[in-house]
Amino acid sequence: MKFNKYITATALGVALAATAGMSNVSASSHREAPFITEMPKVDGTDFYMFRSYETGRNDYITLIANYYPLQDAYGGPNYFALDPQALYEIHVDNDGDSVEDITFQFRFQTTQQDVKLAIGSKQVSIPLINTGAFTAADTSSLHRQEDYTLKIIHGDRRTGASADITDLSGNKTFLKPVDNIGNKSIANYDAYANSYIHDIAIPGCTAGRVFVGQRLEPFKVNLGEIFDLVNTNPLGAPNAEVNELADKNITSIALEIPRSCLTGGGNIIGAWTTSSLRQARVLNRAPKFKNNKPASVEGGAWTQVSRLGSPLVNEVVIGLVDKDRFNASEPKNDADAVDGFADYVTNPTLPALLEILFGVKAPTLFPRADLVQAFLTGVPGLNQPTGVTASEMLRLNVTTAELDAASQNPLGVIAGDTAGFPNGRRPGDDVVDIALRVVMGVLLSATDAPDGQLAYTDGAEVNATMFDSTFPYFKTPLAGSPGN
Amino acid sequence: MKQLIRLSLLVLLSGMFAACGGGSNGSSNAADDTGGGSGGGGGNPPAPPAPPAQSFNGFVISEVAKTSDNTDPKDTNSITFKFNNTDETAFDSVL
């Protein structure tokens, strides 16, 4: 196996990120692979896709890709801008062949003013991004602003037919709200951020909506204990433990697209998110803002560094040695005998680890056809496309009726709520508990999975009522100030 | 017209140097941040012509090959890069 190289020529400051043969993936994947820990701005952490359950919007599909994990709200003065040298994408396969048919492509840029104060006889640049309070309507005291463009590509993500998505006035650039600095800078962050939900005109389709901005981290997990050899009681109460991501923010890339724009030959779509960087980077030994000479120069082909479809795949399914490779891979190759990842699903290690750690009996049936359906092909009769090519992505039957927040079951399909994970993923789906139960054999017979019906849990509760019921669903991010 | 031809030749030669691994040192040196001051000697000589755009991919390949711990980072501010962002095999030789 080849490994990605990250070469820094000490004297020169050349960093070359090479990717041949590299790949790496994850889902609910905060820092899940070695290489992606070096570049948090492009670290995809969670991906959601569900039929919109906001009142009056059930003809739409909401797709949300979260990036930039473990944001502490007080992380100024730079906060958590997305990478202007990266390509953030959401791919949709609508014919089951595991190749993207539609791609939504986001590129960001940051505009910064050099604001100076008269200090004595000199004009001196200030170290902050704002010099006073601001609102969406009046940003005169804000001196750094992110914006982005959004394209839709039909066909191959690099060579397909590309078209600009615009706002309803034809503008190709969308503003992104500044992160939640605190209430002295932004008095009403909720209202401020909501001003950046944009109606969009999609070529060949009717209107949708887009929002990109900071949100309260929606993924809830007893993270520290899970990675400390599951240092918790996996058979305890589902709310007995602490959500250790509760004090973190995240950046969401959210789309609401008409159902009819996403479907192809059938009613089942698959989707995943990726981020890519230019293959090479030269570090600048003497950056000069004035002359537009940034701290680095990037070039070369887009090179994928993060991939995320279903949650927890790269975190707890893919082996450590293959995590980087998974992040650079494409679904179409998942089942390849040499370069694929099928063994991790058909012969998973997580149940065996739980057996070693807790004495519960792991399933004995191999290959695990139940996991293949849950993670690679979709469930027959629910979200498995006709003639599907096995691959890891999040699959959704867009005709499954949505449920309002109060009616959703956080355990989704295994609890009889077919509008939930793994038929898509909603904010309130408890994917950790679902994944634990599925890998331990909840879908198998007692013969094949003696302890398969136990109520495995990480103890961190999540349900739909913890979120907004309107786009973009995730809560207002924690403020950096006041801290207490 | 002559100038245009000369410029085209320079670009072509620069690209050829960059494409051949061994010749890339010359290309990199030509774009180094050492010009401007050394040959002046008083007066205001006319500004030297801007160097031709340099292949970013070739530059990276040539610099990655330098592994000495005793050299300084190269100043890239004076280099105008020419990008080829579609060649997915551009860096295979150093992988």
Side-chain angles (χ1 to χ4, degrees):
Chain A
M1 188 184 82
K2 293 181 183 176
F3 284 91
N4 224 16
K5 293 180 185 175
Y6 196 94
I7 301 170
T8 300
T10 309
L12 174 63
V14 171
L16 171 65
T19 55
M22 156 194 120
S23 50
N24 181 357
V25 165
S26 74
S28 289
S29 52
H30 301 64
R31 296 168 47 82
E32 87 292 350
F35 189 50
I36 203 67
T37 63
E38 301 173 18
M39 47 188 89
K41 286 175 182 286
V42 290
D43 183 359
T45 63
D46 279 282
F47 182 60
Y48 300 79
M49 176 171 64
F50 52 94
R51 192 161 162 183
S52 302
Y53 53 92
E54 177 181 336
T55 302
R57 305 292 289 187
N58 67 351
D59 263 344
Y60 295 81
I61 303 298
T62 297
L63 306 109
I64 308 175
N66 283 350
Y67 280 88
Y68 209 154
L70 308 182
Q71 299 175 14
D72 288 315
Y74 46 78
N78 290 296
Y79 299 97
F80 303 96
L82 291 178
D83 189 345
Q85 304 298 335
L87 187 65
Y88 298 85
E89 295 177 299
I90 294 174
H91 312 281
V92 177
D93 166 26
N94 60 22
D95 56 12
D97 65 356
S98 295
V99 176
E100 70 275 7
D101 299 292
I102 301 170
T103 294
F104 297 95
Q105 200 174 76
F106 294 78
R107 291 210 63 189
F108 295 86
Q109 68 172 4
T110 301
T111 305
Q112 184 168 305
Q113 298 170 322
D114 182 18
V115 175
K116 297 180 177 178
L117 292 179
I119 306 297
S121 61
K122 298 189 175 182
Q123 292 286 317
V124 182
S125 299
I126 66 165
L128 305 174
I129 67 170
N130 61 305
T131 47
F134 58 90
T135 65
D138 179 6
T139 57
S140 56
S141 60
L142 175 65
H143 309 300
R144 193 179 69 188
Q145 177 78 61
E146 283 181 274
D147 60 42
Y148 57 96
T149 58
L150 172 56
K151 293 179 183 294
I152 183 170
I153 292 96
H154 286 94
D156 182 272
R157 61 181 175 170
R158 298 289 169 266
T159 60
S162 174
D164 293 315
I165 291 177
T166 67
D167 67 16
L168 300 187
S169 300
N171 298 308
K172 296 178 183 177
T173 302
F174 302 93
L175 289 175
K176 173 179 177 288
V178 173
D179 295 338
N180 196 353
I181 298 171
N183 64 14
K184 189 172 182 181
S185 293
I186 311 166
N188 183 344
Y189 191 83
D190 201 30
Y192 165 76
N194 283 342
S195 300
Y196 295 88
I197 298 173
H198 305 283
D199 291 319
I200 53 175
I202 308 167
C205 185
T206 53
R209 289 190 287 185
V210 66
F211 171 83
V212 180
Q214 192 180 44
R215 298 282 91 187
L216 177 65
E217 169 64 79
F219 187 55
K220 303 183 192 308
V221 64
N222 185 15
L223 194 63
E225 284 71 19
I226 290 291
F227 285 119
D228 183 22
L229 301 177
V230 196
N231 191 5
T232 183
N233 177 9
L235 299 174
N239 59 355
E241 302 291 337
V242 172
N243 165 31
E244 289 172 335
L245 300 182
D247 64 346
K248 304 298 182 189
N249 290 330
I250 198 78
T251 299
S252 293
I253 298 174
L255 284 167
E256 190 183 54
I257 307 293
R259 281 191 300 169
S260 59
C261 299
L262 297 175
T263 52
N267 292 318
I268 296 166
I269 59 175
W272 69 102
T273 183
T274 64
S275 64
S276 300
L277 297 171
R278 295 293 187 192
Q279 192 173 12
R281 170 177 297 171
V282 176
L283 304 183
N284 188 348
R285 70 175 187 177
K288 295 176 183 174
F289 176 83
K290 263 191 301 193
N291 299 334
N292 194 27
K293 298 293 184 184
S296 65
V297 178
E298 286 78 11
W302 290 119
T303 304
Q304 185 182 306
V305 294
S306 181
R307 170 190 166 189
L308 180 55
S310 292
L312 301 167
V313 172
N314 212 22
E315 251 173 0
V316 297
V317 176
I318 304 295
L320 193 59
V321 297
D322 278 334
K323 289 176 184 291
D324 288 338
R325 188 169 70 86
F326 184 72
N327 267 342
S329 67
E330 295 185 52
K332 64 185 179 185
N333 298 320
D334 284 352
D336 185 273
V338 176
D339 296 324
F341 303 94
D343 286 352
Y344 287 118
V345 178
T346 59
N347 299 66
T349 57
L350 181 59
L353 290 171
L354 290 172
E355 180 175 294
I356 293 167
L357 294 168
F358 294 103
V360 291
K361 288 285 186 188
T364 55
L365 178 69
F366 302 104
R368 290 286 302 274
D370 58 324
L371 298 186
V372 169
Q373 290 182 358
F375 291 111
L376 298 182
T377 64
V379 178
L382 179 61
N383 65 342
Q384 184 179 109
T386 303
V388 64
T389 298
S391 64
E392 197 289 301
M393 62 178 66
L394 194 57
R395 288 190 170 83
L396 173 68
N397 185 331
V398 301
T399 65
T400 306
E402 80 290 350
L403 294 175
D404 61 34
S407 303
Q408 294 177 21
N409 188 316
L411 293 178
V413 173
I414 64 171
D417 176 1
T418 57
F421 183 77
N423 186 19
R425 179 187 178 188
R426 304 167 299 198
D429 289 339
D430 193 341
V431 295
V432 177
D433 288 7
I434 295 170
L436 284 171
R437 296 178 195 202
V438 170
V439 298
M440 288 304 292
V442 72
L443 302 173
L444 299 176
S445 70
T447 304
D448 295 328
D451 288 337
Q453 300 305 312
L454 297 177
Y456 298 94
T457 180
D458 72 313
E461 185 179 27
V462 59
N463 64 64
T465 64
M466 296 174 171
F467 302 92
D468 293 336
S469 286
T470 56
F471 182 81
Y473 296 91
F474 298 148
K475 290 285 192 183
T476 294
L478 296 169
S481 159
N484 48 46
Chain B
M1 188 61 181
K2 281 182 180 175
Q3 279 185 327
L4 188 60
I5 293 171
R6 193 177 301 147
L7 184 61
S8 300
L9 279 171
L10 276 171
V11 171
L12 185 62
L13 283 170
S14 172
M16 288 171 66
F17 271 115
C20 311
S24 57
N25 282 346
S27 176
S28 296
N29 290 340
D32 203 349
D33 187 24
T34 54
S38 58
N44 291 311
Q54 185 169 357
S55 159
F56 179 81
N57 295 354
F59 175 80
V60 170
I61 289 169
S62 69
E63 298 302 337
V64 164
K66 299 174 183 173
T67 56
S68 168
D69 290 338
N70 301 322
T71 54
D72 290 327
K74 186 155 287 184
D75 186 339
T76 56
N77 289 339
S78 58
I79 303 175
T80 300
F81 284 118
K82 181 174 58 178
F83 293 95
N84 176 349
N85 291 334
T86 59
D87 183 2
E88 295 182 348
T89 64
F91 303 110
D92 281 3
S93 64
V94 297
L95 298 181

